[in-house]
Coordinates of all heavy atoms in Angstrom, one line a residue:
M1 N 11.6 24.1 -3.9 CA 11.0 23.5 -5.1 C 9.5 23.4 -4.9 O 9.0 23.1 -3.8 CB 11.6 22.1 -5.3 CG 10.9 21.4 -6.4 SD 11.4 19.7 -6.6 CE 12.2 19.8 -8.2
I2 N 8.8 23.7 -5.9 CA 7.3 23.6 -5.9 C 7.0 22.1 -6.1 O 7.6 21.4 -6.9 CB 6.7 24.4 -7.0 CG1 7.0 25.9 -6.8 CG2 5.2 24.2 -7.1 CD1 6.7 26.8 -8.0
W3 N 6.0 21.6 -5.3 CA 5.6 20.2 -5.4 C 4.2 20.1 -5.7 O 3.4 20.7 -5.1 CB 5.9 19.5 -4.1 CG 5.9 18.1 -4.2 CD1 4.8 17.3 -3.9 CD2 6.9 17.2 -4.7 NE1 5.1 16.0 -4.1 CE2 6.4 15.9 -4.7 CE3 8.2 17.4 -5.3 CZ2 7.1 14.8 -5.1 CZ3 8.9 16.3 -5.7 CH2 8.3 15.0 -5.6
P4 N 3.8 19.2 -6.6 CA 4.6 18.5 -7.6 C 5.3 19.5 -8.5 O 4.8 20.6 -8.7 CB 3.7 17.6 -8.3 CG 2.4 17.7 -7.7 CD 2.4 18.9 -6.8
P5 N 6.4 19.1 -9.1 CA 7.2 20.0 -10.0 C 6.4 20.4 -11.2 O 5.5 19.7 -11.7 CB 8.4 19.2 -10.4 CG 8.2 17.8 -10.0 CD 7.0 17.8 -9.0
K6 N 6.8 21.6 -11.7 CA 6.3 22.1 -13.0 C 7.0 21.3 -14.1 O 8.1 20.8 -13.9 CB 6.6 23.5 -13.2 CG 5.9 24.5 -12.2 CD 6.4 25.9 -12.5 CE 5.8 26.8 -11.4 NZ 6.3 28.2 -11.7
K7 N 6.4 21.2 -15.2 CA 7.0 20.5 -16.3 C 8.3 21.0 -16.7 O 9.3 20.3 -17.0 CB 6.0 20.5 -17.6 CG 4.8 19.6 -17.3 CD 3.7 19.8 -18.3 CE 2.5 19.1 -18.0 NZ 1.7 19.6 -16.9
S8 N 8.5 22.3 -16.5 CA 9.8 22.9 -16.8 C 10.9 22.5 -15.8 O 12.1 22.7 -16.1 CB 9.7 24.4 -16.9 OG 9.3 24.9 -15.6
Q9 N 10.5 21.9 -14.7 CA 11.5 21.5 -13.7 C 12.0 20.1 -13.9 O 12.9 19.7 -13.2 CB 10.9 21.7 -12.3 CG 10.6 23.1 -11.9 CD 9.9 23.3 -10.6 OE1 8.8 22.7 -10.4 NE2 10.6 23.9 -9.7
Y10 N 11.4 19.4 -14.8 CA 11.9 18.0 -15.0 C 13.2 18.0 -15.8 O 13.4 18.9 -16.7 CB 10.8 17.2 -15.8 CG 9.7 16.8 -15.0 CD1 8.6 17.6 -14.7 CD2 9.6 15.5 -14.4 CE1 7.5 17.2 -14.0 CE2 8.6 15.1 -13.6 CZ 7.5 16.0 -13.4 OH 6.5 15.6 -12.6
P11 N 14.1 17.1 -15.6 CA 15.3 17.0 -16.4 C 15.0 16.6 -17.8 O 14.0 15.9 -18.1 CB 16.1 15.9 -15.7 CG 15.1 15.1 -15.0 CD 14.0 16.0 -14.6
K12 N 15.8 17.1 -18.7 CA 15.7 16.7 -20.1 C 16.2 15.3 -20.4 O 15.8 14.7 -21.4 CB 16.4 17.7 -21.0 CG 15.7 19.1 -20.9 CD 16.1 20.0 -22.0 CE 15.6 21.4 -22.0 NZ 14.4 21.7 -21.3
Q13 N 17.1 14.8 -19.5 CA 17.7 13.5 -19.6 C 17.7 12.8 -18.2 O 17.9 13.5 -17.2 CB 19.1 13.5 -20.2 CG 19.1 14.0 -21.6 CD 20.5 14.0 -22.2 OE1 21.5 14.2 -21.5 NE2 20.7 13.6 -23.5
I14 N 17.6 11.5 -18.2 CA 17.6 10.7 -17.0 C 18.6 9.6 -17.3 O 18.5 8.9 -18.3 CB 16.2 10.1 -16.7 CG1 15.2 11.2 -16.6 CG2 16.3 9.2 -15.5 CD1 15.3 12.0 -15.3
T15 N 19.6 9.4 -16.3 CA 20.5 8.3 -16.5 C 20.0 7.2 -15.6 O 19.7 7.3 -14.4 CB 21.9 8.7 -16.0 OG1 22.3 9.8 -16.8 CG2 22.9 7.5 -16.1
V16 N 19.8 6.0 -16.2 CA 19.4 4.8 -15.6 C 20.4 3.7 -15.9 O 20.6 3.4 -17.1 CB 18.0 4.4 -16.0 CG1 17.5 3.1 -15.3 CG2 16.9 5.5 -15.9
A17 N 21.0 3.2 -14.9 CA 22.2 2.3 -15.1 C 23.2 3.0 -15.9 O 23.6 4.1 -15.6 CB 21.7 1.0 -15.6
E18 N 23.5 2.5 -17.1 CA 24.5 3.1 -18.0 C 23.8 3.8 -19.1 O 24.5 4.3 -20.0 CB 25.4 2.0 -18.5 CG 26.1 1.2 -17.4 CD 27.5 1.6 -17.1 OE1 28.2 2.0 -18.0 OE2 27.9 1.4 -16.0
S19 N 22.5 3.8 -19.2 CA 21.8 4.4 -20.3 C 21.3 5.8 -20.0 O 20.9 6.1 -18.8 CB 20.6 3.5 -20.7 OG 21.1 2.2 -21.1
V20 N 21.2 6.6 -21.0 CA 20.6 8.0 -20.8 C 19.3 8.0 -21.6 O 19.3 7.8 -22.8 CB 21.6 9.0 -21.3 CG1 21.0 10.4 -21.2 CG2 22.9 8.9 -20.6
Y21 N 18.3 8.3 -20.9 CA 16.9 8.4 -21.5 C 16.6 9.9 -21.7 O 16.8 10.7 -20.8 CB 15.9 7.8 -20.6 CG 15.8 6.3 -20.6 CD1 16.8 5.5 -20.0 CD2 14.8 5.6 -21.3 CE1 16.8 4.1 -20.0 CE2 14.7 4.2 -21.3 CZ 15.7 3.5 -20.7 OH 15.7 2.1 -20.7
S22 N 16.1 10.2 -22.8 CA 15.6 11.6 -23.0 C 14.1 11.7 -22.6 O 13.4 10.7 -22.7 CB 15.8 12.1 -24.5 OG 15.1 11.2 -25.4
L23 N 13.7 12.8 -22.1 CA 12.4 13.0 -21.6 C 11.7 14.0 -22.5 O 12.2 15.1 -22.7 CB 12.4 13.5 -20.2 CG 11.0 13.8 -19.5 CD1 10.2 12.6 -19.5 CD2 11.2 14.4 -18.2
K24 N 10.6 13.6 -23.1 CA 9.8 14.4 -24.0 C 8.4 14.6 -23.5 O 7.7 13.6 -23.2 CB 9.9 13.8 -25.4 CG 11.3 13.7 -26.0 CD 11.3 13.2 -27.4 CE 12.7 13.0 -27.8 NZ 13.0 13.3 -29.1
F25 N 7.9 15.8 -23.6 CA 6.5 16.1 -23.3 C 5.8 16.4 -24.7 O 6.3 17.1 -25.5 CB 6.4 17.3 -22.4 CG 6.8 17.0 -21.0 CD1 8.0 17.3 -20.5 CD2 5.9 16.4 -20.1 CE1 8.4 17.1 -19.2 CE2 6.2 16.2 -18.8 CZ 7.5 16.5 -18.3
V26 N 4.7 15.7 -24.9 CA 4.0 15.8 -26.2 C 2.5 16.1 -26.0 O 2.0 15.8 -24.9 CB 4.2 14.5 -27.0 CG1 5.6 14.2 -27.4 CG2 3.6 13.3 -26.3
R27 N 1.9 16.7 -26.9 CA 0.5 17.0 -26.9 C -0.4 15.8 -27.0 O -1.5 15.7 -26.5 CB 0.1 18.1 -27.9 CG 0.7 19.4 -27.7 CD 0.1 20.5 -28.6 NE 0.8 21.7 -28.4 CZ 0.6 22.6 -27.5 NH1 -0.2 22.3 -26.5 NH2 1.3 23.7 -27.4
K28 N 0.1 14.8 -27.8 CA -0.7 13.7 -28.2 C 0.1 12.4 -28.2 O 1.3 12.4 -28.7 CB -1.3 13.9 -29.6 CG -2.3 12.8 -30.0 CD -2.8 13.1 -31.4 CE -3.7 12.0 -31.9 NZ -4.1 12.1 -33.3
I29 N -0.4 11.3 -27.7 CA 0.1 10.0 -27.8 C -0.9 9.2 -28.6 O -2.1 9.2 -28.2 CB 0.4 9.4 -26.4 CG1 1.5 10.2 -25.7 CG2 0.9 7.9 -26.6 CD1 1.9 9.7 -24.3
D30 N -0.5 8.5 -29.6 CA -1.4 7.8 -30.5 C -2.3 6.7 -29.8 O -3.4 6.6 -30.1 CB -0.6 7.1 -31.6 CG -0.1 8.1 -32.6 OD1 -0.6 9.3 -32.7 OD2 0.9 7.8 -33.3
D31 N -1.7 6.1 -28.8 CA -2.5 5.1 -28.1 C -3.6 5.8 -27.2 O -3.2 6.5 -26.2 CB -1.7 4.2 -27.2 CG -0.7 3.3 -28.0 OD1 -1.1 3.0 -29.2 OD2 0.3 2.8 -27.5
I32 N -4.8 5.6 -27.4 CA -5.9 6.3 -26.7 C -5.8 5.9 -25.2 O -5.7 4.7 -24.9 CB -7.3 6.0 -27.3 CG1 -7.4 6.5 -28.7 CG2 -8.4 6.5 -26.4 CD1 -8.6 6.1 -29.5
G33 N -5.9 6.9 -24.4 CA -5.8 6.6 -22.9 C -4.4 6.5 -22.3 O -4.3 6.4 -21.1
T34 N -3.4 6.5 -23.2 CA -2.0 6.4 -22.7 C -1.5 7.7 -22.3 O -1.7 8.7 -23.0 CB -1.2 5.8 -23.8 OG1 -1.6 4.5 -24.2 CG2 0.3 5.7 -23.4
L35 N -1.0 7.8 -21.1 CA -0.5 9.1 -20.6 C 1.0 9.2 -20.7 O 1.6 10.3 -20.6 CB -0.9 9.2 -19.1 CG -2.4 9.2 -18.9 CD1 -2.7 9.3 -17.4 CD2 -3.1 10.4 -19.6
G36 N 1.7 8.1 -20.9 CA 3.2 8.1 -21.0 C 3.6 6.8 -21.6 O 2.9 5.8 -21.6
L37 N 4.8 6.8 -22.1 CA 5.5 5.7 -22.7 C 7.0 5.7 -22.4 O 7.6 6.7 -22.2 CB 5.4 5.7 -24.3 CG 4.0 5.7 -24.9 CD1 4.0 6.0 -26.3 CD2 3.4 4.3 -24.7
C38 N 7.5 4.5 -22.3 CA 8.9 4.3 -22.1 C 9.4 3.4 -23.2 O 9.0 2.2 -23.3 CB 9.3 3.7 -20.7 SG 11.0 3.5 -20.5
N39 N 10.3 3.9 -24.1 CA 10.9 3.1 -25.1 C 12.3 2.7 -24.7 O 13.2 3.5 -24.7 CB 10.9 3.8 -26.4 CG 11.3 3.0 -27.6 OD1 12.3 2.2 -27.5 ND2 10.7 3.1 -28.7
G40 N 12.5 1.5 -24.3 CA 13.7 1.0 -23.8 C 14.8 0.8 -24.9 O 16.0 0.9 -24.6
D41 N 14.3 0.6 -26.1 CA 15.2 0.5 -27.2 C 15.8 1.8 -27.7 O 17.0 2.0 -27.9 CB 14.6 -0.2 -28.4 CG 14.2 -1.6 -28.1 OD1 14.9 -2.3 -27.4 OD2 13.1 -2.0 -28.6
D42 N 14.9 2.8 -27.8 CA 15.3 4.2 -28.2 C 15.8 5.1 -27.1 O 16.2 6.2 -27.3 CB 14.2 4.9 -29.0 CG 13.9 4.2 -30.3 OD1 14.8 3.5 -30.9 OD2 12.8 4.3 -30.8
K43 N 15.5 4.6 -25.8 CA 15.9 5.4 -24.6 C 15.1 6.7 -24.6 O 15.7 7.8 -24.4 CB 17.4 5.6 -24.5 CG 18.2 4.3 -24.7 CD 18.0 3.3 -23.6 CE 18.9 2.1 -23.8 NZ 18.3 0.8 -23.4
V44 N 13.8 6.6 -24.7 CA 13.0 7.8 -24.7 C 11.8 7.6 -23.8 O 11.1 6.6 -23.8 CB 12.5 8.2 -26.1 CG1 11.5 9.4 -26.0 CG2 13.6 8.5 -27.0
I45 N 11.6 8.6 -22.9 CA 10.4 8.6 -22.1 C 9.5 9.7 -22.6 O 10.0 10.8 -22.8 CB 10.7 8.9 -20.6 CG1 11.6 7.9 -20.0 CG2 9.4 9.1 -19.8 CD1 12.1 8.2 -18.6
T46 N 8.2 9.4 -22.9 CA 7.3 10.3 -23.5 C 6.2 10.5 -22.5 O 5.6 9.5 -22.0 CB 6.8 9.8 -24.8 OG1 7.9 9.6 -25.7 CG2 5.9 10.9 -25.5
I47 N 5.8 11.8 -22.2 CA 4.7 12.1 -21.3 C 3.8 13.0 -21.9 O 4.2 14.1 -22.5 CB 5.3 12.6 -19.9 CG1 6.2 11.6 -19.3 CG2 4.1 13.1 -19.0 CD1 6.8 12.0 -18.0
K48 N 2.5 12.7 -21.8 CA 1.4 13.6 -22.4 C 1.3 14.9 -21.6 O 1.2 14.9 -20.4 CB 0.1 12.8 -22.4 CG -1.0 13.5 -23.2 CD -2.2 12.6 -23.3 CE -3.2 13.2 -24.2 NZ -4.4 12.3 -24.3
L49 N 1.2 16.0 -22.3 CA 1.2 17.3 -21.7 C -0.1 17.7 -20.9 O 0.0 18.4 -20.0 CB 1.4 18.4 -22.8 CG 2.8 18.8 -23.1 CD1 2.9 19.6 -24.4 CD2 3.5 19.5 -22.0
S50 N -1.2 17.2 -21.3 CA -2.5 17.7 -20.8 C -2.8 17.2 -19.4 O -4.0 17.3 -19.0 CB -3.6 17.2 -21.8 OG -3.7 15.8 -21.8
Q51 N -1.9 16.7 -18.7 CA -2.1 16.1 -17.3 C -1.9 17.2 -16.3 O -1.2 18.2 -16.5 CB -1.2 15.0 -17.0 CG -1.3 13.8 -18.0 CD -0.3 12.7 -17.6 OE1 -0.5 12.0 -16.7 NE2 0.7 12.7 -18.4
S52 N -2.5 17.0 -15.1 CA -2.2 17.9 -14.0 C -0.8 17.7 -13.5 O -0.1 16.7 -13.9 CB -3.2 17.6 -12.8 OG -2.8 16.3 -12.3
R53 N -0.3 18.6 -12.7 CA 1.1 18.4 -12.2 C 1.3 17.1 -11.4 O 2.3 16.4 -11.5 CB 1.5 19.6 -11.4 CG 1.8 20.8 -12.3 CD 2.1 22.1 -11.7 NE 2.8 22.1 -10.4 CZ 3.1 23.2 -9.7 NH1 2.7 24.3 -10.2 NH2 3.8 23.1 -8.6
E54 N 0.3 16.8 -10.6 CA 0.4 15.5 -9.8 C 0.3 14.3 -10.7 O 1.1 13.4 -10.5 CB -0.8 15.5 -8.8 CG -0.7 14.2 -8.0 CD -1.8 14.1 -6.9 OE1 -2.5 15.1 -6.7 OE2 -2.0 13.0 -6.4
D55 N -0.6 14.3 -11.7 CA -0.6 13.2 -12.6 C 0.6 13.1 -13.5 O 1.1 12.0 -13.8 CB -1.9 13.3 -13.5 CG -3.2 13.0 -12.7 OD1 -3.1 12.3 -11.6 OD2 -4.2 13.3 -13.2
T56 N 1.2 14.2 -13.8 CA 2.5 14.2 -14.6 C 3.6 13.5 -13.7 O 4.3 12.7 -14.3 CB 2.9 15.6 -15.0 OG1 1.9 16.1 -15.9 CG2 4.2 15.6 -15.7
L57 N 3.6 13.9 -12.5 CA 4.6 13.2 -11.6 C 4.4 11.7 -11.5 O 5.4 11.0 -11.6 CB 4.6 13.9 -10.2 CG 5.5 13.2 -9.2 CD1 7.0 13.4 -9.6 CD2 5.3 13.8 -7.8
L58 N 3.2 11.3 -11.3 CA 2.9 9.9 -11.2 C 3.2 9.2 -12.5 O 3.8 8.1 -12.5 CB 1.4 9.7 -10.8 CG 1.0 10.2 -9.4 CD1 -0.5 10.0 -9.2 CD2 1.8 9.6 -8.3
T59 N 2.9 9.8 -13.6 CA 3.3 9.2 -14.9 C 4.8 9.1 -15.1 O 5.3 8.1 -15.6 CB 2.7 10.0 -16.1 OG1 1.2 10.0 -15.9 CG2 3.0 9.4 -17.4
F60 N 5.5 10.1 -14.7 CA 7.0 10.1 -14.7 C 7.5 9.0 -13.9 O 8.4 8.2 -14.4 CB 7.5 11.5 -14.2 CG 9.0 11.6 -14.2 CD1 9.7 11.7 -15.4 CD2 9.6 11.7 -13.0 CE1 11.1 11.8 -15.3 CE2 11.0 11.9 -12.9 CZ 11.7 11.9 -14.1
I61 N 7.0 8.8 -12.7 CA 7.5 7.7 -11.8 C 7.2 6.4 -12.5 O 8.0 5.5 -12.5 CB 6.9 7.9 -10.4 CG1 7.5 9.1 -9.7 CG2 7.0 6.6 -9.6 CD1 6.7 9.4 -8.4
H62 N 6.0 6.3 -13.0 CA 5.5 5.1 -13.7 C 6.5 4.7 -14.8 O 7.0 3.5 -14.9 CB 4.1 5.3 -14.3 CG 3.5 4.1 -15.0 ND1 2.5 3.4 -14.4 CD2 3.8 3.6 -16.2 CE1 2.2 2.4 -15.3 NE2 3.0 2.5 -16.4
E63 N 6.8 5.7 -15.6 CA 7.7 5.4 -16.8 C 9.2 5.1 -16.3 O 9.9 4.3 -16.9 CB 7.7 6.5 -17.8 CG 6.3 6.8 -18.4 CD 5.6 5.5 -18.9 OE1 6.3 4.6 -19.4 OE2 4.4 5.5 -18.9
L64 N 9.6 5.7 -15.2 CA 10.9 5.4 -14.6 C 11.0 4.0 -14.2 O 12.0 3.3 -14.3 CB 11.2 6.4 -13.5 CG 11.6 7.8 -13.8 CD1 11.8 8.6 -12.5 CD2 12.8 7.9 -14.7
L65 N 9.9 3.5 -13.6 CA 9.8 2.1 -13.2 C 10.0 1.2 -14.5 O 10.7 0.1 -14.4 CB 8.6 1.8 -12.5 CG 8.5 2.4 -11.1 CD1 7.1 2.3 -10.5 CD2 9.5 1.7 -10.1
H66 N 9.4 1.6 -15.6 CA 9.6 0.8 -16.8 C 11.1 0.9 -17.3 O 11.6 -0.1 -17.7 CB 8.7 1.3 -17.9 CG 7.3 0.9 -17.8 ND1 6.9 -0.5 -17.6 CD2 6.1 1.6 -17.7 CE1 5.6 -0.5 -17.5 NE2 5.1 0.7 -17.5
C67 N 11.7 2.0 -17.1 CA 13.2 2.2 -17.4 C 14.0 1.1 -16.6 O 14.9 0.5 -17.1 CB 13.7 3.6 -17.1 SG 13.1 4.9 -18.1
L68 N 13.6 1.1 -15.3 CA 14.3 0.1 -14.4 C 14.1 -1.3 -14.9 O 15.1 -2.1 -14.9 CB 13.9 0.2 -13.0 CG 14.2 1.5 -12.3 CD1 13.6 1.6 -10.9 CD2 15.7 1.7 -12.2
E69 N 12.9 -1.6 -15.4 CA 12.7 -2.9 -16.0 C 13.6 -3.2 -17.1 O 14.2 -4.3 -17.2 CB 11.2 -3.0 -16.5 CG 10.2 -3.3 -15.5 CD 8.9 -3.6 -16.2 OE1 8.3 -2.7 -16.8 OE2 8.4 -4.8 -16.1
F70 N 13.7 -2.3 -18.1 CA 14.5 -2.5 -19.3 C 16.0 -2.6 -18.9 O 16.6 -3.5 -19.4 CB 14.3 -1.3 -20.2 CG 13.0 -1.2 -20.9 CD1 12.2 -0.1 -20.8 CD2 12.5 -2.3 -21.7 CE1 10.9 -0.1 -21.5 CE2 11.3 -2.3 -22.3 CZ 10.5 -1.1 -22.2
E71 N 16.4 -1.7 -18.1 CA 17.9 -1.6 -17.8 C 18.4 -2.7 -16.9 O 19.6 -3.1 -17.0 CB 18.3 -0.3 -17.3 CG 18.0 0.9 -18.2 CD 18.6 0.7 -19.6 OE1 19.8 0.2 -19.7 OE2 17.9 1.0 -20.6
Y72 N 17.6 -3.3 -16.0 CA 18.0 -4.3 -15.1 C 17.4 -5.6 -15.3 O 17.6 -6.6 -14.5 CB 17.7 -3.8 -13.6 CG 18.6 -2.7 -13.2 CD1 18.1 -1.3 -13.3 CD2 19.9 -2.9 -12.8 CE1 18.9 -0.3 -12.9 CE2 20.7 -1.8 -12.5 CZ 20.2 -0.5 -12.5 OH 21.0 0.6 -12.1
G73 N 16.7 -5.8 -16.4 CA 16.1 -7.1 -16.8 C 15.1 -7.5 -15.8 O 14.9 -8.7 -15.5
L74 N 14.3 -6.6 -15.2 CA 13.3 -6.9 -14.3 C 12.0 -7.2 -15.0 O 11.8 -6.8 -16.1 CB 13.1 -5.7 -13.3 CG 14.3 -5.3 -12.5 CD1 14.0 -4.0 -11.8 CD2 14.8 -6.4 -11.6
D75 N 11.1 -7.9 -14.3 CA 9.8 -8.1 -14.8 C 8.8 -7.7 -13.8 O 8.4 -8.6 -12.9 CB 9.6 -9.6 -15.2 CG 8.3 -9.9 -15.9 OD1 7.6 -8.9 -16.3 OD2 7.9 -11.1 -16.0
I76 N 8.4 -6.5 -13.8 CA 7.5 -6.0 -12.8 C 6.1 -6.0 -13.3 O 5.8 -5.4 -14.4 CB 7.8 -4.5 -12.3 CG1 9.3 -4.5 -11.9 CG2 6.9 -4.0 -11.2 CD1 9.8 -3.1 -11.7
N77 N 5.1 -6.6 -12.7 CA 3.7 -6.6 -13.1 C 3.2 -5.2 -13.2 O 3.5 -4.4 -12.4 CB 3.0 -7.4 -12.0 CG 1.5 -7.5 -12.3 OD1 0.8 -6.6 -12.3 ND2 1.1 -8.8 -12.6
H78 N 2.5 -4.9 -14.3 CA 2.0 -3.6 -14.5 C 1.1 -3.1 -13.4 O 1.1 -1.9 -13.1 CB 1.3 -3.5 -15.9 CG 1.3 -2.2 -16.5 ND1 0.2 -1.4 -16.8 CD2 2.4 -1.4 -16.9 CE1 0.6 -0.3 -17.3 NE2 1.9 -0.2 -17.4
K79 N 0.4 -3.9 -12.8 CA -0.5 -3.6 -11.7 C 0.4 -3.1 -10.5 O 0.1 -2.2 -9.8 CB -1.4 -4.8 -11.2 CG -2.4 -4.4 -10.3 CD -3.3 -5.6 -9.9 CE -4.4 -5.8 -11.0 NZ -5.4 -6.8 -10.6
T80 N 1.5 -3.8 -10.3 CA 2.5 -3.4 -9.3 C 3.1 -2.0 -9.5 O 3.2 -1.2 -8.6 CB 3.6 -4.4 -9.1 OG1 3.0 -5.7 -8.8 CG2 4.6 -4.1 -8.0
I81 N 3.4 -1.8 -10.8 CA 3.9 -0.4 -11.2 C 2.9 0.6 -10.8 O 3.3 1.7 -10.2 CB 4.3 -0.4 -12.7 CG1 5.6 -1.2 -12.9 CG2 4.5 1.0 -13.1 CD1 6.0 -1.3 -14.3
H82 N 1.6 0.4 -11.1 CA 0.6 1.4 -10.8 C 0.5 1.6 -9.2 O 0.4 2.7 -8.8 CB -0.8 1.0 -11.3 CG -0.9 1.3 -12.7 ND1 -1.2 2.5 -13.2 CD2 -0.9 0.5 -13.8 CE1 -1.3 2.5 -14.5 NE2 -1.1 1.3 -14.9
K83 N 0.6 0.5 -8.5 CA 0.6 0.6 -7.0 C 1.7 1.3 -6.4 O 1.6 1.9 -5.3 CB 0.5 -0.8 -6.4 CG -0.9 -1.5 -6.6 CD -0.9 -2.8 -6.0 CE -2.2 -3.5 -6.1 NZ -2.2 -4.9 -5.4
L84 N 2.9 1.3 -7.1 CA 4.1 2.0 -6.6 C 4.2 3.5 -6.8 O 4.9 4.2 -6.2 CB 5.3 1.3 -7.2 CG 5.7 -0.1 -6.6 CD1 6.8 -0.7 -7.5 CD2 6.1 0.0 -5.2
E85 N 3.4 4.0 -7.8 CA 3.5 5.4 -8.2 C 3.3 6.3 -7.0 O 4.2 7.2 -6.8 CB 2.4 5.7 -9.3 CG 2.6 5.0 -10.6 CD 1.4 5.2 -11.5 OE1 0.4 5.9 -11.1 OE2 1.4 4.5 -12.5
K86 N 2.2 6.2 -6.3 CA 1.9 7.2 -5.2 C 2.8 7.0 -4.0 O 3.3 8.0 -3.5 CB 0.4 7.1 -4.8 CG -0.5 7.7 -5.8 CD -1.9 7.8 -5.4 CE -2.7 8.5 -6.5 NZ -4.1 8.5 -6.1
P87 N 3.2 5.8 -3.6 CA 4.1 5.6 -2.5 C 5.5 6.2 -2.8 O 6.1 6.8 -1.9 CB 4.2 4.1 -2.2 CG 2.9 3.6 -2.8 CD 2.5 4.5 -3.9
I88 N 5.9 6.1 -4.0 CA 7.2 6.6 -4.4 C 7.2 8.1 -4.4 O 8.1 8.8 -3.9 CB 7.7 6.1 -5.7 CG1 8.1 4.6 -5.6 CG2 8.9 6.9 -6.3 CD1 8.4 3.9 -6.9
A89 N 6.1 8.7 -4.9 CA 5.9 10.2 -4.9 C 5.9 10.7 -3.4 O 6.6 11.7 -3.1 CB 4.6 10.6 -5.6
A90 N 5.2 10.0 -2.5 CA 5.2 10.4 -1.1 C 6.6 10.3 -0.5 O 7.0 11.1 0.3 CB 4.2 9.5 -0.4
L91 N 7.3 9.2 -0.8 CA 8.6 9.0 -0.3 C 9.5 10.2 -0.7 O 10.3 10.7 0.1 CB 9.2 7.7 -0.8 CG 10.6 7.3 -0.3 CD1 10.7 5.9 0.0 CD2 11.6 7.7 -1.4
L92 N 9.5 10.6 -2.0 CA 10.3 11.7 -2.4 C 9.9 13.0 -1.7 O 10.7 13.8 -1.3 CB 10.1 11.8 -4.0 CG 10.7 10.7 -4.8 CD1 10.3 10.8 -6.2 CD2 12.2 10.6 -4.6
F93 N 8.6 13.2 -1.6 CA 8.1 14.4 -1.0 C 8.5 14.5 0.5 O 9.0 15.5 1.0 CB 6.6 14.5 -1.1 CG 6.0 15.7 -0.4 CD1 6.0 16.9 -1.0 CD2 5.4 15.6 0.9 CE1 5.5 18.1 -0.4 CE2 4.9 16.7 1.5 CZ 5.0 18.0 0.9
D94 N 8.4 13.4 1.2 CA 8.7 13.3 2.6 C 10.2 13.5 2.9 O 10.5 14.0 4.0 CB 8.2 12.0 3.3 CG 6.6 12.0 3.3 OD1 6.0 13.0 3.1 OD2 6.1 10.8 3.5
N95 N 11.0 13.0 2.0 CA 12.4 13.0 2.3 C 13.3 14.0 1.6 O 14.5 14.2 1.9 CB 12.9 11.6 2.1 CG 12.4 10.6 3.1 OD1 12.8 10.6 4.2 ND2 11.4 9.8 2.7
F96 N 12.8 14.6 0.5 CA 13.6 15.5 -0.3 C 13.2 16.9 -0.3 O 13.8 17.8 -0.9 CB 13.8 14.9 -1.7 CG 14.6 13.7 -1.8 CD1 14.0 12.5 -1.8 CD2 16.0 13.7 -1.7 CE1 14.7 11.3 -1.9 CE2 16.7 12.6 -1.8 CZ 16.1 11.3 -1.8
L97 N 12.0 17.2 0.3 CA 11.5 18.6 0.3 C 11.4 19.1 1.7 O 11.2 18.5 2.6 CB 10.1 18.6 -0.4 CG 10.2 18.1 -1.8 CD1 8.8 18.1 -2.4 CD2 11.0 19.0 -2.7

């Protein structure tokens, strides 16, 4: 596997707890400066296309953490979510590649 993964290597759906989230890559997100969104009601993760592969991975991890918040009733401080992005990416790289 190429690391970080190409956009085509991401799954189209992610199962979190009992819910299935669809993953969508889009050219534009209406909120200026927003690179990704997680909609826990509609079960959709949206990631902006114009990012580097590394930034796309970090955004994906970031949004997955929001999925965990929604599905398990967690309340993770947004600053903590940002701090976890790179360590989780490193953990995946070190242990799965």
Side-chain angles (χ1 to χ4, degrees):
M1 173 184 249
I2 297 170
W3 193 261
K6 296 177 184 178
K7 289 165 186 71
S8 62
Q9 293 175 299
Y10 284 85
K12 296 195 183 334
Q13 295 183 324
I14 303 287
T15 301
V16 180
E18 306 260 330
S19 297
V20 178
Y21 284 74
S22 59
L23 178 61
K24 298 182 184 217
F25 288 96
V26 298
R27 292 191 187 279
K28 182 180 175 188
I29 295 177
D30 289 336
D31 293 337
I32 295 172
T34 299
L35 301 175
L37 296 168
C38 177
N39 185 320
D41 295 326
D42 294 336
K43 311 297 183 211
V44 176
I45 298 169
T46 305
I47 297 178
K48 191 172 182 181
L49 272 170
S50 61
Q51 300 178 75
S52 68
R53 284 172 40 182
E54 181 178 347
D55 287 341
T56 297
L57 176 63
L58 296 177
T59 300
F60 178 67
I61 290 168
H62 180 107
E63 299 311 328
L64 286 178
L65 289 166
H66 285 305
C67 290
L68 293 173
E69 277 189 293
F70 289 123
E71 297 306 319
Y72 290 100
L74 303 172
D75 185 16
I76 306 170
N77 180 294
H78 208 241
K79 192 178 274 190
T80 301
I81 287 177
H82 281 285
K83 286 181 179 181
L84 288 170
E85 294 168 6
K86 286 186 180 181
I88 290 172
L91 180 141
L92 294 171
F93 179 79
D94 291 345
N95 291 283
F96 291 98
L97 298 176

